[in-house]
Amino acid sequence: MFNIQLLTGKVYKLVTIILVLVAFSCASTGGGDSASSDKVVYSDDFENSINGWGSRGDETVSLSSDNAQTGDKSLVVINRTSTWNGPIKDLSAILKPGETYSIGLWAKFDDGPDTIGLKLSIQSKDDVYTNIGGSKLVKGEWVYSEVIYSVPSSEYIKLYFETTWKDEGNAEANDLVPFYIDNLVIKRFLPIQDPVTEAGAEADIPSFHTFYPEFKIGVAINSSRYFEKKNKYNELLRHFNGFVYENDMKMDAMQPSEGRFIFTKAEKLISYAEDNNSVVRGHTLLWHSQYPKWFFTGSDGKDVNKEVLLKRIKTHIQTIAGKFKGRIYAWDVVNEVIGDNGELRDSKYLEIIGSDEYISKAFIWAREADPDAKLFINDYNICQSGAKQDLLFELVKKLLDQGVPIDGVGFQAHINISFPSVNEIRKAIRRFAELGVEVQITELDMSIYSSSTEGIKDASKEILLAQAYKYNALFEMFREEAKNGSLTMVTLWGLADDKTWLNNFPTKGRTNYPLLFGKDLRAKPAYWATVDPENLSVLIKAFDAIKSDNEVFGFDDEAWDVVTFKDIMNVKGEYFGDLGLLWLKDKLYIKVNVVDSTMNESDGIKIYIEEHNIKSKKLTDNTIIIDVPRSKAVEDRNDGYTLFYTVSLTEDSGKFNKKIGFDLRINDNGEMHSFNDYSNKQDDSTGNYCSVTLSKLAPMTEADNGTIIVDGIIDKEWNRALVVSLDVETEGITELGSQFRTLWDKDFLYVLLEIKDSVLNDESPNPWEQDSVEIFIDENNAKSVTYENDDAQYRVSFNNLVSFNGGDEVHFKSKTEKTKDGYIVEAAVPMSLVKLEKGLIIGFDIQINDSDDSGVRSGIRNWVNDTNLGYQDTSSFGVMILK
Ligand code: XIL
C-alpha cells in the first residue's frame, strides 16, 4: 500500500498489493506527515555523480546543469522512446524486506504538454513491475512527491521513474518528454519506544464493566505478574469481569515440546478470575501462528501425515481443555481458519489434513474434554461484509448442520476510528446470531490509523474524542445487541495504550492509542464517554461550505439544491433542525431549518463565526456574533421555520480552502440547542466552534428519467442519457476512453458502463483485483467519512460476478457483455432509504478496477474520487441529480 503526498496537500493513493497484514482490513488511507522517527537511509542530490542510476531501455540518463531544485545539477532522462523509459537504480542493499520507507523526491519537466504523470515504480524480479505511486507534474515547476512503501520479499528491489503508461504504438512525443529528478531522500521508519510516564492508573474511578451489566467485559493481559498488588497494572483489572491471556495460552506456550504441557501460568489466570468473580476466555487451542515448531514435523524433519497430525491436535486440545475442565467460560477452539481471500486458510492444517475436517474434529474433541465450556470459532475482518465474512458464515452453518458443537463466533474486531462503521458491525452480529450461535467480540481495539501506510500522527484531542464518540456508540450498540440476546461478551485486546500489539505494528515507528486507558494508564476520553458523557468535551465537527456560482438571493435559490444539510442534534441524538452553508467571495450564506412548533418571543438563532478558525478560550477580534429572531424567518410553518442570512466576511476570509470557525445555536423559548458547542459557551469562547472549509462543489452529473431492461444490450433508450467519461487516474495504469451513463425510474437507478480494457482477467480471488467496475451510492449525499445505512458499493466483474458492501443485494441487477475492446456492464441499482424522484440528489461515483494479465490489480480509474477509499468513505464522491 502506498500513498503520495504532493506539496499542494492533495493526497493520492496508489496500488495496494505489497503489505500482508495479520489483522487489518485492506484499507488504504493516508496523508499526514511521517517525520518524527525516520532515519535517512539514502539520499542523492545529483550534484557530483550519477551514483549508479542507469537507463531501462535506449534512453539516456545523465546529470544535467539545465535544472536543479537546489545546487547546480539534477538527474535528467532524454531520448525516451517508451513511456516506461526512465532512470533506474538497484536499491536492494538499502531497501530491506519487511521494512517501511518513505521515498521523497522533486521532479520537473519543461517541454510539451501542460502536465504529465510521473510514476514511481519498483522492479522486483525480471518480469515483476509494481507502480508504487505517482504524481502530476506541472510544466516548468519542481513538484515534490512522497511515497510510503513496505518492501516485500523479492529477488531484488530496483527503483525507477517513468511516465503515465501508453502502449508503444500510441505513445507520442508529448508522452515521452525528458524529465528531471532531484533531491531524492529515502527514510526508514524506525521502531519507537513509548516514553514511560509516572501518572499511573486512577484508583477512584468507577469500574468500566459496571456500566454494561448486559454483557461481560473482558480484557487481554500479557503477564500473570499483573495480578500482584504491587504491579502498576493491577489497579486496571477491576474494570473488567473477564480475562484472557494475550499470548500465554497459545499453542507454543502450552506445549512447547511434545508431551510437555505447561499449566502454571494458565492456572494463575484462572484462579485470579475465580477469586474475583470473573470468567476466563481460553485463547486459543488451534492456530496457524504461535505454534510450537515440532507440531507439524516428524522425527525425519518432514511434515507428519494426516493421522499423526489429527492425533496431535486431539492430544493438545483434550489435555488442555481436560485439565481446566469446568473452569473455562469459553474457548477459542480454532483461530483464523479463513484466509484473506475468502477461502479456507492455506495453513499446515489444511495442507496436511486436506479439508475442514480438522475444524469439526477440534470442536468435537473440545466438547468431549470440557462439556461446559462455550466453544468459539474466532477470526478477524469479519465484522465487515465481504467474502471472508460470507465464508465463515457458510462454514459455521455447515458445521452446525453436521451437528458440530459450535456455540459461538468470535469477532476479533481490530477496528479503526473510521472503519468499519458501528452499523456494519451490528449487521455482522445479527447475521451470525440468526444462525443460533452466540457472538462475542474477542479482541477489540480501535486504531487511530485507517491503514498501515498512514503517516505518524499525534493522538490529538480531536482524534481521542472522535475515538471516544465511536467507542460510546459501539458499546451502546453492544448493549442493544446483548439485550436482543445476540451478544454475550466483549473483550478489549489490552489494558492500556502503553502495551498494545499495535505499537510499531504493522508499521514500525508508529505508536498507537487503541484502548480505553492511556499510555500513562489513566482513563481516556473513550472511557469517560460512557462513564460521564455529560463532561465529555465537545467534538469539533468539520464540514464544507460549497462555493456558489452566483450570488445567492434567498432561501429558495437553486444554489441550495446541491448543498448537504447538516443535522442539528444533541448528544442523545434528538433532532432540532438542519443547516447549510454556501459562500462566494466575501459572503457566507446560511440557511437554517428549525423544528419548533410553538412560537415564542425569544425564539430565534444565533450565528457565531471566527474568521480564522482560531479556537480560543475567549472571543477573538475576528469573532462575529449575530442574533436572528424568528420574526425574520423567510418561512414560518406550524412545525417550525426557515431563516436565510448572509454574513460579510472580511476580505481575506473568502478564499478557497480557507477554514473558518462556525457555530449556530437555536433558542427555543429559552432552551438552547447548538450545532457544535453542546456546552453553549459560544458567547464567551470560540474553542468549540466547528471548522468549516470554504470548498468547491463536487463534480456533478444528471440522470434523466427512463426505464431500462438489464440485458447487457445498449437499447435506444440509452441515447437520451448523458455520456460521462471516466477521467480520474486514481492508481497505476488504465486505458483511456471508458464512460458511463445513467437513467432512473421509480424503482432503480440504471447505470451503463462502457469499459475499454484489452486484457480481461478475473483470476484473482479478490474481487477488487478482477477486471471489474464499482458503483458507489451515498443516498443522502451526506458525504460521511464512514459508511452509513444509506451508503453502498456494488462491484461487478466483466463476467458479472457481483460483490457488495452495504446496499440491497436482493434487488440489485446486473448484466455484462464483452466487447471487442473491453466490456459493458448494465446495472439496476435499488435505493434503500430514499425515494427515486425528480430533484433527488445523491452522492455517486464510478470506479474501474483494472487487472493485469497475471490477475493483479494494476490500475484504478474513477469518475471523481481519487482516494481509493470509496469503500469506506463517501466524502469524496461526486453528486448526481435526477432530472
Ligand atoms: C497478538 C498479540 O497481541 C501479540 O502480543 C503477539 O505478538 C502476536 O499475537 N489475532 C489474534 C491474537 O488472535 O492472538 C493476536 O495477538 C492478534 C491477532
Side-chain angles (χ1 to χ4, degrees), residues 23 246-247 250 283 287 290 335-336 412 414 443 493 501:
E246 190 171 344
N247 291 299
K250 289 176 180 170
H283 177 79
W287 195 19
Q290 293 178 272
N335 194 28
E336 303 181 352
Q412 292 187 5
H414 298 292
E443 303 181 16
W493 203 241
W501 73 305

Side-chain angles (χ1 to χ4, degrees), residues 196-213:
V196 181
T197 44
E198 293 305 325
E202 294 120 320
D204 48 0
I205 56 172
S207 295
F208 187 74
H209 76 80
T210 57
F211 290 83
Y212 298 99

Side-chain angles (χ1 to χ4, degrees), residues 352-415:
I352 297 173
I353 292 163
S355 72
D356 56 20
E357 181 188 343
Y358 76 94
I359 302 175
S360 41
K361 287 271 168 57
F363 278 92
I364 292 165
W365 291 328
R367 171 70 19 114
E368 276 171 20
D370 186 353
D372 294 332
K374 294 176 194 259
L375 304 182
F376 275 76
I377 182 165
N378 194 45
D379 219 318
Y380 64 89
N381 279 358
I382 49 168
C383 45
Q384 65 240 41
S385 56
K388 190 164 178 179
Q389 190 193 79
D390 292 347
L391 185 71
L392 182 66
F393 183 85
E394 292 308 328
L395 178 68
V396 173
K397 195 158 166 255
K398 181 176 108 180
L399 296 176
L400 288 172
D401 287 347
Q402 292 171 356
V404 175
I406 297 188
D407 301 309
V409 174
F411 293 8
Q412 292 187 5
H414 298 292
I415 62 172

Side-chain angles (χ1 to χ4, degrees), residues 660-706:
I660 59 171
F662 178 88
D663 205 0
L664 187 140
R665 191 163 86 193
I666 297 171
N667 183 336
D668 176 358
N669 195 22
E671 261 186 55
M672 303 298 172
H673 307 299
S674 290
F675 174 69
N676 204 91
D677 187 355
Y678 303 125
S679 66
N680 295 322
K681 298 202 180 87
Q682 298 98 328
D683 287 314
D684 305 315
S685 156
T686 66
N688 289 330
Y689 293 10
C690 78
S691 298
V692 167
T693 306
L694 304 183
S695 75
K696 280 190 194 132
L697 183 63
M700 208 181 330
T701 186
E702 317 177 339
D704 250 317
N705 190 255

Side-chain angles (χ1 to χ4, degrees), residues 133 382 426 880:
I382 49 168
R426 183 203 298 272
M880 168 176 300

Side-chain angles (χ1 to χ4, degrees), residues 623-634:
T623 310
I624 303 172
I625 300 181
I626 303 159
D627 250 311
V628 193
R630 182 167 183 167
S631 56
K632 293 253 172 72
V634 284

